[in-house]
């Protein structure tokens, strides 16, 4: 595997490759990321990965400095997956001058859910993803459904800006007890790790109640509130547990419910100092 940090060197290395499959990451790789590499291989060749902890998507009180950086272990894992090039730019490589041009997603998608609790997050994500796509110029790019809203925001960006790249969604990989794999799980104490499974358990309970039917927007709200209260009683600090339409992540009205719009339930909650997110398609 070639490790490249400079944009021009990357372009030289990838010249003539028109079927590349790209997986952008922030490193600290786990099985979830590796499953993205395997899916990428099914959709293109060669597989290109990137590792870049993108300052633009972290808020002032978030964990940019303490975000886990495990470069050597990551390199070993990517080599085993047969990744052809790892693009690992420094901040100077990717942002040699202040990044003044940025991509601002529309507020009806970018400022809800994660965007409401992490202002500027999707602007930072879109800006770096667009820049990485411009550097790698892949045929396809793979993003995990664990970050459900991120996947939608990026897919819409690629569509609206007519980028010549197919966005491929990848299923969430879970630990045996159901906890979605995430780099942030590493922050959990042993007790918190045992408790963390309650997030997906709660989403499953919401899913069951929704599937029982006879719903109205008010009934959905009551289910969401009960789910938040349950987590709060167990010591969590929930930001949201919200049932949304899969197609636009807006709440379902009576007409949507009558026409059996496909739904997804999304959650974000803090356990101790660690903020976890997850979702379940209904
Ligand atoms: O999901 C992530 O790891 C990041 O948000 C991404 C897509 C690599 C952009 O920095």
């Amino acid at each position: 595997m070639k490790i490249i940090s400079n944009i021009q060197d990357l372009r030289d290395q990838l010249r003539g490759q028109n079927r590349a499959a790209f997986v952008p990451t922030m490193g600290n790789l786990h099985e979830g990321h590796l499953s993205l590499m395997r899916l990428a291989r099914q959709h293109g060749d060669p597989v290109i990965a990137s590792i870049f902890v993108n300052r633009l998507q972290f808020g002032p009180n978030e964990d940019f400095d303490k975000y886990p950086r495990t470069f050597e272990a990551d390199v070993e894992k990517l080599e085993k997956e047969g990744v052809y090039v790892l693009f690992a730019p420094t901040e100077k490589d990717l942002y040699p001058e202040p990044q003044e041009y940025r991509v601002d997603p529309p507020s009806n998608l970018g400022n809800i859910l994660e965007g409401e609790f992490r202002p500027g997050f999707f602007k930072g994500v879109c800006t770096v993803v667009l820049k990485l796509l411009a550097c790698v110029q892949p045929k396809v790019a793979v993003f995990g459904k664990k970050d459900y809203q991120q996947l939608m925001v990026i897919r819409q960006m690629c569509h609206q800006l007519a980028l010549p790249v197919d966005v491929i969604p990848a299923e969430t990989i879970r630990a045996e007890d159901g906890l979605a794999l995430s780099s942030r799980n590493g922050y959990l104490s042993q007790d918190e790790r045992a408790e963390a499974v309650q997030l997906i358990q709660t989403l499953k309970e919401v899913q069951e109640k929704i599937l029982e039917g006879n719903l109205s927007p008010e009934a959905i709200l009551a289910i969401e509130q009960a789910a938040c209260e349950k987590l709060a009683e167990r010591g969590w600090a929930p930001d949201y547990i919200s049932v949304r339409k899969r197609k636009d992540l807006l709440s379902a009205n009576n007409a949507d419910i009558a026409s059996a719009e496909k739904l997804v339930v999304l959650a974000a909650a803090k356990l101790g100092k660690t903020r976890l997110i997850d979702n379940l398609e209904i």
Side-chain angles (χ1 to χ4, degrees):
M1 180 173 75
K2 300 217 157 42
I3 302 175
I4 299 178
S5 59
N6 175 276
I7 295 176
Q8 191 53 52
D9 293 348
L10 180 76
R11 294 229 163 98
D12 292 344
Q13 184 66 39
L14 296 183
R15 187 156 300 119
Q17 299 283 4
N18 54 14
R19 291 192 58 244
F22 177 45
V23 186
T25 80
M26 297 205 300
N28 193 233
L29 303 181
H30 50 65
E31 256 318 295
H33 295 110
L34 303 185
S35 77
L36 304 186
M37 306 296 158
R38 288 167 207 149
L39 186 62
R41 177 161 309 291
Q42 290 173 28
H43 290 270
D45 184 45
V47 175
I48 316 298
S50 68
I51 294 180
F52 181 70
V53 184
N54 173 39
R55 190 186 289 275
L56 299 187
Q57 71 192 70
F58 286 77
N61 299 317
E62 294 185 348
D63 54 350
F64 175 77
D65 287 324
K66 113 172 172 11
Y67 196 84
R69 289 157 171 90
T70 51
F71 191 72
E72 269 155 37
D74 292 346
V75 165
E76 225 170 89
K77 288 175 187 163
L78 293 176
E79 262 170 350
K80 281 200 189 121
E81 292 301 327
V83 167
Y84 173 62
V85 167
L86 168 60
F87 180 44
T90 62
E91 286 196 282
K92 268 233 155 75
D93 289 311
L94 205 60
Y95 302 132
E97 58 207 43
Q99 186 64 38
E100 287 165 347
Y101 282 72
R102 300 197 186 187
V103 184
D104 206 355
S107 57
N108 58 0
L109 183 57
N111 292 358
I112 60 170
L113 301 166
E114 280 307 278
E116 182 185 338
F117 288 89
R118 304 182 68 186
F121 172 66
F122 289 117
K123 194 172 177 179
V125 168
C126 284
T127 302
V128 79
V129 169
L130 181 61
K131 194 152 188 180
L132 290 168
L133 291 174
C135 294
V136 177
Q137 301 189 19
K139 180 175 87 77
V140 304
V142 180
F143 295 86
K145 282 185 172 183
K146 155 86 174 21
D147 297 296
Y148 204 86
Q149 190 178 2
Q150 170 175 280
L151 168 65
M152 281 198 65
V153 168
I154 290 170
R155 185 183 259 162
Q156 275 298 97
M157 174 183 77
C158 292
H159 168 72
Q160 283 227 329
L161 297 178
L163 303 183
V165 58
D166 287 338
V167 172
I168 311 281
E171 292 304 324
T172 301
I173 303 295
R174 299 182 179 279
E176 241 171 64
D177 64 356
L179 176 68
L181 297 194
S182 161
S183 300
R184 293 196 165 92
N185 295 351
Y187 299 150
L188 299 168
S189 69
Q190 220 177 343
D191 287 350
E192 288 170 344
R193 173 62 190 83
E195 173 64 22
V197 67
Q198 289 301 325
L199 190 59
I200 183 64
Q201 287 299 354
T202 306
L203 292 182
K204 283 182 184 161
E205 286 159 23
V206 171
Q207 183 189 44
E208 263 170 43
K209 287 186 190 140
I210 298 287
L211 289 175
E212 279 166 15
N214 282 333
L215 290 172
S216 61
E218 296 74 27
I220 293 177
L221 200 63
I223 293 170
E224 293 167 352
Q225 273 168 1
C228 279
E229 278 162 24
K230 178 199 138 179
L231 282 186
E233 275 162 23
R234 299 184 64 96
W236 294 67
D239 282 345
Y240 59 83
I241 297 182
S242 196
V243 176
R244 299 291 173 112
K245 287 178 285 174
R246 285 192 214 174
K247 68 172 184 207
D248 54 15
L249 294 187
L250 297 179
S251 301
N253 59 26
N254 282 315
D256 298 321
I257 295 167
S259 63
E261 263 294 339
K262 286 188 177 156
L263 301 174
V264 56
V265 54
L266 306 105
K270 257 187 158 182
L271 184 57
K273 290 197 169 122
T274 308
R275 187 171 182 279
L276 299 178
I277 64 169
D278 204 350
N279 65 79
L280 199 55
E281 290 180 330
I282 298 176

